[in-house]
């Protein structure tokens, strides 16, 4: 019998064949309906929408669009929003952000032995994720680093990554 | 000159951090201090040209450029039928480099409004609401993931479940006159 401990996580289907995971305590709420979005001018197209939730303004990131570098068209019934919570390194207040997903999240358990390399584009996934594991059916699944995604400016992401790989 | 002129002298003793103008451009609601607005004019008073601005408007002895912005705050040369009001903005107030906190304690600029302010320009909007927020308003910083070099917002305000974008006359003038380099994904 193995002594390895499995960590709980949520598997998120982003559509267009892209899956990611977040920690089991990082997912707060699956919105039953699409909220009323406000488009923020001059924000990156993968993160230009925000909505109001319980007196807070929540930015929405479309990770699939960020990875593919093009707008993602989802069927209405396949467009869902999950609310995620995260904390910055300096242990300040818990903050919220939202992600576009295409299916209801499923609970999974991940073990250290499942660690694997990031899928392409590797450099970009490294920017957005803390690690990656191999799912028996899906393959490599990056585990999102929500702090990096929501607390890093688009400019910083681009300058670290280099524009070429994004545009390809 | 017809239209509503905003006399800052009349508000010299008022709290300048509570008077704002909410300008609507398509689905975008922009908030600027009333001290950045010189006057409101009907769009009928705008004369059109084929320059990099869409036209001009005469204010006393000065001819001011008039611009049109999209809801993404990029300069456009076509005019939507929704644009009905020309907001005359000026950049005379000390607004460069202010923080969000400074923004809400903007000093009075009644002295500069005793005469026609410099850097006067027109911006076409769908709707303009002059408002005084008597309650404490909560200002949210623009989320980091939404910031780009093109960002011209100082923050966000949540008002009646609507998200309003805080900006300044200078920021809007920059949007009107600057052609930004676009990142490939944007």
């Amino acid at each position: 019998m193995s002594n390895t401990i499995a960590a709980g996580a949520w598997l998120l289907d982003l559509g267009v064949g892209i899956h990611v995971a977040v920690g089991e305590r990082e997912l707060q709420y699956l919105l039953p309906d699409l909220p009323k979005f406000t488009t923020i001018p001059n924000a990156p197209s993968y993160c230009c929408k925000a909505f109001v939730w319980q007196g807070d303004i929540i930015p929405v990131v479309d990770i699939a669009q960020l990875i593919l570098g093009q707008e993602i068209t989802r069927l209405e019934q396949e467009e869902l929003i999950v609310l995620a919570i995260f904390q910055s390194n300096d242990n300040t207040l818990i903050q919220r952000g939202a992600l576009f997903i295409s299916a209801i999240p499923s609970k999974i358990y991940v073990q250290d032995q499942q660690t694997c390399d990031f899928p392409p584009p590797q450099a970009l996934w490294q920017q957005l994720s803390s690690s990656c594991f191999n799912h028996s059916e899906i393959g490599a699944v990056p585990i999102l680093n929500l702090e990096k995604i929501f607390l890093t400016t688009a400019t910083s992401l681009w300058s670290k990554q280099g524009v070429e790989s994004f545009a390809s | 000159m017809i239209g509503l002129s905003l006399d800052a002298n009349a508000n010299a003793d008022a709290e300048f951090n509570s008077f704002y103008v909410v300008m609507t451009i398509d689905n975008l609601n922009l908030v600027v201090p009333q001290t950045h607005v010189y006057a409101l004019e009907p769009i009928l008073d705008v004369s059109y040209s084929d320059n990099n601005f869409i036209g001009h408007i005469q204010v006393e002895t000065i001819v001011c450029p008039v611009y049109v912005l999209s809801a993404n705050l990029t300069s456009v040369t076509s005019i939507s039928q929704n644009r009905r009001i020309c907001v005359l903005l000026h950049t005379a107030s000390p607004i460069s480099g202010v923080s969000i906190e400074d923004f809400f304690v903007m000093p009075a600029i009644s002295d500069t409004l005793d005469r026609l302010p410099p850097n006067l320009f027109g911006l076409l909007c769908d709707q303009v609401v002059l408002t005084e927020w008597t309650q404490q308003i909560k200002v949210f910083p623009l989320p980091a993931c939404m910031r780009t070099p093109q960002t011209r917002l100082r923050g966000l305000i949540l008002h009646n479940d609507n998200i309003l974008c805080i900006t300044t006359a200078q920021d809007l003038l920059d949007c009107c006159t600057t052609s930004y380099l676009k990142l490939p994904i944007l």
Side-chain angles (χ1 to χ4, degrees), chain A:
Chain A
M1 185 174 170
S2 171
N3 291 327
T4 53
I5 300 171
W10 290 102
L11 182 65
L12 307 179
D13 180 356
L14 305 184
V16 293
I18 299 176
H19 292 79
V20 295
V22 295
E24 64 179 341
R25 295 183 181 181
E26 292 181 315
L27 214 59
Q28 187 180 24
Y29 194 63
L30 174 65
L31 272 67
D33 300 299
L34 285 183
K36 173 189 165 191
F37 291 119
T38 296
T39 301
I40 303 300
N42 287 324
S45 59
Y46 62 83
C47 181
C48 63
K49 290 180 170 27
F51 65 94
V52 178
W53 196 79
Q54 293 189 351
D56 203 359
I57 295 177
I58 311 291
V60 192
V61 172
D62 192 333
I63 296 291
Q65 182 172 341
L66 174 56
I67 291 296
L68 297 179
Q70 62 186 40
E71 194 169 341
I72 305 298
T73 305
R74 297 181 178 89
L75 298 174
E76 189 177 339
Q77 63 270 26
E78 293 178 354
E79 192 165 53
L80 302 171
I81 299 282
V82 283
L83 205 61
I85 54 174
F86 55 94
Q87 201 165 16
S88 57
N89 274 339
D90 55 6
N91 285 327
T92 52
L93 292 174
I94 288 175
Q95 302 187 54
R96 296 188 182 105
L99 299 169
F100 276 113
I101 59 173
S102 291
I104 292 177
S106 53
K107 188 74 178 285
I108 55 171
Y109 292 90
V110 183
Q111 296 181 333
D112 286 345
Q113 298 94 311
Q114 292 175 253
T115 303
C116 68
D117 291 335
F118 288 104
Q122 282 192 337
L124 181 50
W125 279 121
Q126 282 175 345
Q127 288 295 324
L128 304 173
S129 313
S130 52
S131 61
C132 186
F133 67 92
N134 186 55
H135 188 282
S136 58
E137 297 172 9
I138 297 168
V141 175
I143 300 173
L144 295 181
N145 183 332
L146 297 173
E147 182 201 346
K148 270 189 184 175
I149 291 169
F150 288 102
L151 299 185
T152 305
T153 64
T155 316
S156 302
L157 269 179
W158 281 87
S159 59
K160 287 175 187 170
Q161 169 62 20
V163 170
E164 299 79 17
S165 56
F166 280 78
S168 61

Side-chain angles (χ1 to χ4, degrees), chain A residues 36 38-52 55-57 59-61 65-67 69-70 149-155 158 163 166-167, chain B residues 27-28 30 70-74 138 140 142-153 156-158 160-165 175 180 182-186:
Chain A
K36 173 189 165 191
T38 296
T39 301
I40 303 300
N42 287 324
S45 59
Y46 62 83
C47 181
C48 63
K49 290 180 170 27
F51 65 94
V52 178
D56 203 359
I57 295 177
V60 192
V61 172
Q65 182 172 341
L66 174 56
I67 291 296
Q70 62 186 40
I149 291 169
F150 288 102
L151 299 185
T152 305
T153 64
T155 316
W158 281 87
V163 170
F166 280 78
Chain B
N27 296 321
L28 175 66
L30 294 168
S70 70
N72 201 36
L73 294 185
T74 51
K138 185 175 180 183
F140 296 81
L142 188 68
C145 54
M146 298 184 136
R147 293 178 206 153
T148 66
Q150 295 84 27
T151 298
R152 289 294 182 273
L153 302 181
L156 304 173
I157 292 175
L158 188 53
N160 292 339
D161 273 347
N162 291 315
I163 298 173
L164 314 180
C165 300
C175 294
Y180 297 115
K182 292 280 185 185
L183 295 171
I185 199 171
L186 300 179

Side-chain angles (χ1 to χ4, degrees), chain B residues 54-100:
Chain B
I54 64 109
H56 56 268
I57 190 167
Q58 181 143 1
V59 182
E60 299 178 19
T61 57
I62 295 179
V63 175
C64 307
V66 175
Y67 299 95
V68 186
L69 290 174
S70 70
N72 201 36
L73 294 185
T74 51
S75 187
V76 293
T77 53
S78 60
I79 305 173
S80 160
Q81 288 186 337
N82 296 331
R83 307 284 189 272
R84 291 183 294 183
I85 299 169
C86 179
V87 181
L88 282 171
L89 296 152
H90 67 91
T91 62
S93 52
I95 55 176
S96 59
V98 296
S99 66
I100 288 178

